[in-house]
Amino acid sequence: FWPSTVEGEEALNLDGMRKISNISGGHFFLAKSDKDLPEISRQLRKMLRAHYQISFVVERGPGESRHTIDVKCRKKSYQVRSRKGYIGYLPE
């Protein structure tokens, strides 16, 4: 919920939570009151309706390096959300 004071907003670190959501391929929702929860719930249901997951195992070890992920679809009307990258080695 929306903090009631400036100190509370700073302690909540809204900018940091938005950045983490973006980096991880997620969404950030902030309810200013309990009246916002039904709309947030509706948006979540809509997003999860056509939800697919693609995954792979990453083996970590010494000399880990950062890898980027770029997911694209042939149909431009599709929206794809994904993590921006990961640290580790690709599986053999």
Side-chain angles (χ1 to χ4, degrees):
F1 288 101
W2 190 260
S4 58
T5 65
V6 173
E7 293 82 13
E9 185 175 336
E10 289 171 357
L12 196 55
N13 191 4
L14 299 178
D15 189 47
M17 288 195 293
R18 283 185 183 97
K19 287 178 183 176
I20 290 170
S21 297
N22 185 37
I23 289 168
S24 65
H27 276 284
F28 176 79
F29 295 97
L30 180 64
K32 294 185 178 181
S33 76
D34 59 343
K35 291 175 179 45
D36 294 337
L37 296 177
E39 176 59 22
I40 291 171
S41 177
R42 186 193 67 73
Q43 290 178 35
L44 288 170
R45 278 194 311 273
K46 183 179 177 185
M47 282 186 238
L48 294 174
R49 195 172 320 158
H51 183 89
Y52 298 93
Q53 182 174 344
I54 299 171
S55 63
F56 55 91
V57 176
V58 176
E59 297 176 9
R60 295 182 176 212
E64 295 175 345
S65 58
R66 180 142 185 84
H67 302 275
T68 58
I69 299 173
D70 187 21
V71 181
K72 297 179 182 178
C73 287
R74 289 183 185 150
K75 289 191 175 187
K76 301 293 182 191
S77 61
Y78 290 170
Q79 288 185 334
V80 177
R81 289 184 14 250
S82 67
R83 295 175 59 176
K84 305 295 181 203
Y86 66 94
I87 298 174
Y89 293 109
L90 287 171
E92 294 180 17

